Each structure stands twice: as C-alpha cells, then as structure tokens.
C-alpha cells in the first residue's frame, strides 16, 4: 500500500474545512438578510424580533381572553404601513415573521378604550402567569376633578408588559365630556423601578394627550389579527400635536375665593350664549380644516378661572395667517353669524368680527416675525394701526365648556404678555388701544386704502 503523504492529507482537511465555513457564512448572511437578527440569551431566553413577537402573541392572547377593546397605536409600526413596498413584501411571506409589529425599538404600543373596559385585577395575575412582568401606572381622574373637589380618584393610565427585555406599552384612553379621547401622563412613583423601561423613548406618556375617536378596522399584520385606526396617517398627525393641558382648577379655586363668581342671571345667560357661540365657531372652523386657539380674554378666562369671563361680552380666537382661507367669512355667514367688521388685509393686521346672539366673535390673525409673533388692531375712526407682540409659542389641547380646543402651551407667557404681571386681578375697565402691555402703535392706514381695510357693517 502506498504511503500517504501527511502534507496532502492536511491540505485536503484544511480545504474541506474552509469550504464548509464559507458555506455556513453564506447561509448565515442569506438567513439574516431575509429574517433579521435572531439570537438567544445566555439562559435560553429569546431576544431580538423573536422575543418581541413572542411577547406580542402572549399579549394578544391576553387581550382575547379578557375581551379588551385594544388597538395598535405604535407610531413606528403605523408609519411602516404607509410603505407600499413593505406591504407587498409582507403579503408574499408565508412563514412566521415580524415586519410591522417588531420595529427597531424594544417596545410596541397599544391603546385600550377605557370607557369600554372594566378594571379586573385578574388581568395582571394572568399576565404574570404567562411569564410577563407588569408595571401599572395610576393617576388622578381629571373627569372627577373640579373646583369643588380637587382630590379625584386614582385610575389606571398605563400598563407595561415586559418579557425577555422587550415591552408592550398599553396606554388607556378615556372619553371626556368634549367627545374626545384622553390619556394621562406617565409619572413614576419614587418606589418604582426607573430601569423597567426606556420611559423617555415611549410614544405616549411624556405629556397627557387628546385625540378624536378613531374609526378602527381589523387587519392582519405579521400573521396576527390586530385593530388599527382606519386613517392611520391622520392618527400619526394627531399624535404629533396631541399634548393636552388640564385647566388649573386649584389656582382657579383660589381666584374665586378672592373674587367670588358672578352668578347673576345676566352672567349665566352670557356664559350660555358664549358656550353656544364657541361650539358653533369650532364646528365651522373644523369643517374648513382651519386650526385655532383661545386668545385674549377667552384664553385668560380659561387659564385664570377655568371659565368664560362674564363681563368680557365676546369670544376671542387666534388663527395663524398661513391658515387663512378666503371662504372663512362665507362659512360663518352660512352658519348664521353675519360679519360685523373686517379690519386690515391678509398681508397686514387682518381681524374679523362676527355677530352672534348678543355675543361677538373676534378672530385675530397672527403673523410670524422670527423670535416673536403678533396680531394687529385697527381704530376705525382714525385708521390708526396697533400691534400686539407675543413670545413664540406652541399649541396644546385643553377643554373649555365641554369642548376640546387649543391654547398656547406656554399659557402663562402668553397671558402675561397680553395682561401683564397682574393678570390674576380682574380689570373691567379695559382699553384695547392702551391697556395691554404688549401693544405698540404701528402707523396709520393710508386713506386711499380705508375702503379695503376698514369695513364696518
């Protein structure tokens, strides 16, 4: 028998091993590109998208068992639904996968309709039996808070279900008297573990939020049946603008202790008419798609006393000039509110006033000037122009007179600019041309333009 060359054998072994390793590397790269990274922890626990899908399957099983009115609100997942290419790819996959519900983040967000659900402690026990850790966040129920009772009751606001380092965040949405959905802020008690979840990254909870009630549809994502908002693009837009401010009831009660509320028949009649006018104005502008906020005295009334100021005799709204539409006047007239006056023009100091039932609606258009914003005013008899300057602000939702409306998020800065440091003291003798600390003279309209910029009816 011929003697085998050891060098040849060694070379053959090395070549075979190299080919096998290259094949393994090729297969691994193909598998990763198709299915994403799936690894197991040191104790055999799932991680990555496998872990997230495993948790979501368990969570949805819990939802089914307890008939929870839950729908998916995860912003990253809903955003993926707008990509047609991903939807096509998902439809062609046959084996279990997690393309939409498992994103680049370690959590997935769902919402629970609180008014259609009765709290059951068995939910948490069942979750724990399925191997999940659960953190429940509670807070005050603002629907029961008033100036007569500031205590309120604790209600569940958020649930966090955790397994293998992955999370499902369940935010509870409650229906408010203004016919909208509200969720509370996520505030941890000192005894709670701040490492339980990436709280600063969660979609919901940094602030309270407000949403219109979405129409829901049942669909299949990643092989799982889930409900989502039918118009998820609109829901995502709402989410970006959802921050909600509660009326400061505690401060309002302190105000009324110093300045008792006017409960005369005249004041009650004005509040009723102002409420009706505000609801009509909001409905008209909503149909036009024009966002607005409470301005001037109406904003002051909300911030100072959680109501309308009875001696103000009008309702004041603000609108960005970029949102002006030429059919606004016609829309209000069609709604039964005739034009009382029109001052200024779109390019400069526009102001519209409509006559309601013994209550006037004033709409001030705001102009952006970099670090500040302003609205204009015009004296009809002289043509003098005035300018009211405010620091920049963002808009938040709130509730006034059973209506979901916007106010400046930086409300104190806004009110102080318009009414000064003594804004908390009622002033009935108010001159719009000189009393506001932020008013500036802004020239005079040329007489040749008066027919255009000074229209009184």
């Amino acid at each position: 028998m011929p003697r085998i060359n050891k060098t040849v054998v060694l070379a053959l072994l090395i070549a075979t091993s190299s080919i096998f390793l290259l094949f393994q590397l090729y297969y691994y790269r193909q598998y990763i590109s198709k299915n994403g990274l799936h690894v197991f922890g040191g104790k055999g626990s799932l991680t990555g998208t496998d872990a997230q899908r495993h948790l979501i399957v368990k969570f949805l099983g819990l939802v089914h068992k307890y008939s929870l009115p839950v729908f998916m609100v995860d912003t990253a997942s809903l955003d993926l639904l707008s990509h047609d290419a991903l939807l096509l790819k998902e439809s062609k996959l046959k084996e279990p996968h997690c393309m939409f519900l498992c994103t680049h983040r370690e959590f997935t967000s769902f919402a629970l309709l609180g008014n259609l659900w009765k709290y059951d402690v068995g939910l948490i026990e069942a979750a724990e039996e399925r191997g999940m850790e659960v953190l429940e966040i509670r807070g005050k129920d603002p629907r029961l808070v008033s100036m007569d009772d500031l205590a309120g009751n604790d209600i569940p606001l958020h649930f966090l279900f955790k397994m293998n380092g992955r999370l499902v965040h369940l935010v509870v949405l409650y229906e408010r008297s203004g016919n909208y959905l509200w969720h509370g802020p996520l505030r941890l008690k000192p005894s709670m573990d701040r490492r339980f979840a990436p709280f600063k990254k969660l979609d919901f909870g940094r602030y309270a939020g407000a949403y219109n009630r979405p129409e829901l549809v049942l669909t299949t994502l990643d092989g799982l049946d889930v409900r989502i908002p039918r118009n998820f693009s609109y829901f995502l837009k709402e989410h970006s603008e959802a921050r909600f401010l509660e009326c400061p009831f505690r401060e309002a009660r302190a105000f009324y202790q110093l300045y008792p509320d006017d409960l005369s028949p005249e004041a009650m009649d004005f509040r009723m008419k102002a409420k009706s006018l505000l609801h009509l104005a909001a409905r008209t502008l909503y149909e036009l798609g024009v966002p607005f906020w409470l301005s001037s005295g109406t904003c002051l009334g909300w911030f100072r006393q959680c109501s309308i100021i009875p001696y103000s005799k009008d309702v004041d709204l603000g609108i960005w000039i970029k949102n002006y539409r030429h059919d606004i006047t016609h829309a209000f007239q069609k709604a039964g509110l005739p034009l009382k006056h029109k001052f200024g023009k779109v390019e400069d100091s526009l102001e519209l006033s409509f006559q309601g039932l013994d209550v006037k609606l004033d709409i001030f258009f705001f102009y952006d000037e970099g670090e500040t914003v302003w609205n204009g005013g015009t004296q009809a008899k002289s043509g003098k122009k005035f300018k009211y300057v405010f620091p920049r602000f963002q808009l938040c939702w709130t509730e006034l007179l059973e209506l979901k409306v916007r106010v400046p998020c930086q409300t104190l800065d806004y009110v102080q600019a318009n009414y000064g440091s003594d804004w908390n003291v009622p002033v009935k003798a108010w001159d719009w041309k000189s009393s506001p600390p932020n008013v500036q003279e802004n020239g005079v309209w040329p007489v040749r333009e008066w027919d255009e910029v000074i229209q009184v009816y």
Side-chain angles (χ1 to χ4, degrees):
M1 174 180 282
R3 186 175 179 181
I4 298 176
N5 190 314
K6 294 181 179 180
T7 304
V8 173
V9 172
L10 183 60
L12 288 172
L13 288 173
I14 292 174
T16 303
S17 299
S18 299
I19 293 172
F20 180 74
L21 287 172
L22 287 171
F23 174 78
Q24 282 189 316
L25 179 60
Y26 172 79
Y27 177 80
Y28 178 76
R29 291 184 64 181
Q30 291 295 108
Y31 181 85
I32 290 300
S33 65
K34 180 179 180 181
N35 299 289
L37 180 61
H38 304 286
V39 296
F40 288 84
K43 297 182 179 179
S45 59
L46 291 166
T47 59
T49 56
D50 275 343
Q52 191 68 12
R53 191 178 194 280
H54 184 65
L55 172 58
I56 292 172
V57 169
K58 283 185 172 290
F59 170 75
L60 292 178
L62 205 63
V63 166
H64 179 73
K65 178 180 179 180
Y66 285 87
S67 300
L68 301 179
V70 164
F71 61 101
M72 199 263 287
V73 292
D74 191 88
T75 59
S77 297
L78 291 177
D79 184 61
L80 287 174
L81 290 176
S82 63
H83 298 279
D84 293 338
L86 286 177
L87 288 170
L88 179 62
K89 180 179 178 182
E90 196 265 352
S91 67
K92 294 180 178 179
L93 295 174
K94 303 301 182 182
E95 59 192 50
H97 53 279
C98 203
M99 181 179 298
F100 294 101
L101 297 175
C102 307
T103 63
H104 59 282
R105 308 184 300 182
E106 63 228 72
F107 60 88
T108 306
S109 305
F110 289 83
L112 169 65
L113 295 172
N115 290 70
L116 303 178
W117 167 68
K118 184 178 181 181
Y119 184 82
D120 185 349
V121 69
L123 172 68
I124 295 178
E125 294 174 354
E128 291 174 342
E129 289 174 359
R130 285 165 167 76
M132 291 179 265
E133 299 177 72
V134 184
L135 181 64
E136 179 183 353
I137 311 294
R138 301 179 73 90
K140 297 297 181 184
D141 187 348
R143 299 168 298 174
L144 302 178
V145 175
S146 68
M147 283 174 283
D148 297 324
D149 182 9
L150 297 175
N153 294 329
D154 274 354
I155 54 174
L157 300 178
H158 301 264
F159 293 93
L160 292 163
F161 299 86
K162 184 176 181 180
M163 178 183 282
N164 296 324
R166 294 288 168 149
L167 292 157
V168 164
H169 177 200
L170 182 63
V171 55
V172 187
L173 297 175
Y174 292 96
E175 188 170 332
R176 297 283 291 260
S177 59
N179 195 30
Y180 62 95
L181 299 177
W182 167 92
H183 72 76
L186 196 161
R187 299 290 180 262
L188 297 178
K189 295 181 179 179
S191 59
M192 292 180 174
D193 184 5
R194 281 163 167 71
R195 297 170 298 177
F196 188 88
F199 293 104
K200 293 183 178 180
K201 297 180 181 179
L202 297 179
D203 286 334
F204 302 86
R206 183 178 181 185
Y207 307 108
Y211 297 81
N212 292 325
R213 178 185 290 277
E215 181 184 356
L216 302 178
V217 294
L218 182 64
T219 188
T220 301
L221 295 176
D222 301 333
L224 301 173
D225 291 338
V226 293
R227 284 182 169 80
I228 63 171
R230 179 182 292 275
N231 190 344
F232 51 81
S233 296
Y234 176 77
F235 184 87
L236 288 172
K237 183 177 184 299
E238 272 198 304
H239 177 266
S240 68
E241 305 168 348
R243 185 180 174 186
F244 183 92
L245 299 179
E246 288 293 348
C247 169
F249 283 109
R250 191 175 302 278
E251 291 78 3
R253 185 164 79 167
F255 172 82
Y256 282 123
Q257 288 174 346
L258 291 174
Y259 309 100
D261 195 9
D262 185 353
L263 300 178
S264 66
E266 295 78 13
M268 300 298 287
D269 182 64
F270 170 76
R271 287 193 181 98
M272 181 183 68
K273 291 176 178 176
K275 176 181 177 179
S276 177
L277 179 61
L278 181 58
H279 278 248
L280 177 58
R283 187 163 58 250
T284 303
L285 291 171
Y286 178 78
E287 290 173 356
L288 290 172
V290 175
F292 70 93
W293 65 91
L294 304 182
S295 190
S296 302
T298 308
C299 182
L300 174 64
W302 169 81
F303 187 62
R304 187 175 69 187
Q305 52 211 77
C306 296
S307 185
I308 291 281
I309 299 174
Y311 54 82
S312 62
K313 304 305 179 186
D314 58 16
V315 171
D316 303 310
L317 303 180
I319 296 176
W320 296 116
I321 193 62
K322 66 182 181 181
N323 296 130
Y324 172 77
R325 289 179 49 148
H326 290 281
D327 55 351
I328 284 181
T329 299
H330 174 72
F332 275 104
Q333 290 176 328
K334 186 178 178 181
L337 299 176
L339 184 64
K340 184 176 177 64
H341 71 240
K342 175 185 176 183
F343 294 151
K345 51 187 176 181
V346 174
E347 298 78 16
D348 184 7
S349 305
L350 183 61
E351 172 190 340
L352 299 176
S353 182
F354 300 91
Q355 185 60 56
L357 184 61
D358 299 329
V359 182
K360 185 162 59 78
L361 173 67
D362 290 328
I363 299 180
F364 304 103
F365 290 87
F366 280 65
Y367 298 78
D368 192 333
E369 272 194 355
E371 294 300 316
T372 60
V373 298
W374 61 276
N375 72 279
T378 296
Q379 186 179 38
K381 65 180 182 181
S382 67
K384 286 185 178 180
K385 297 168 59 182
F386 299 87
K387 188 176 185 179
Y388 304 85
V389 182
F390 296 83
R392 292 188 66 82
F393 56 87
Q394 290 79 44
L395 294 175
C396 288
W397 291 107
T398 191
E399 184 178 321
L400 177 65
L401 303 176
E402 299 181 345
L403 182 68
K404 172 175 165 258
V405 291
R406 290 183 176 95
V407 292
C409 300
Q410 299 79 9
T411 321
L412 179 59
D413 293 340
Y414 189 88
V415 167
Q416 282 186 331
N418 214 186
Y419 296 96
S421 57
D422 293 330
W423 59 270
N424 211 23
V425 179
V427 178
K428 295 186 179 181
W430 184 262
D431 186 337
W432 62 271
K433 302 182 299 299
S434 58
S435 296
N438 63 335
V439 66
Q440 302 173 6
E441 292 190 4
N442 195 31
V444 180
W445 289 109
V447 175
R448 66 180 180 276
E449 295 185 16
W450 280 25
D451 287 344
E452 176 191 359
V453 300
I454 304 176
Q455 299 180 22
V456 180
Y457 300 91

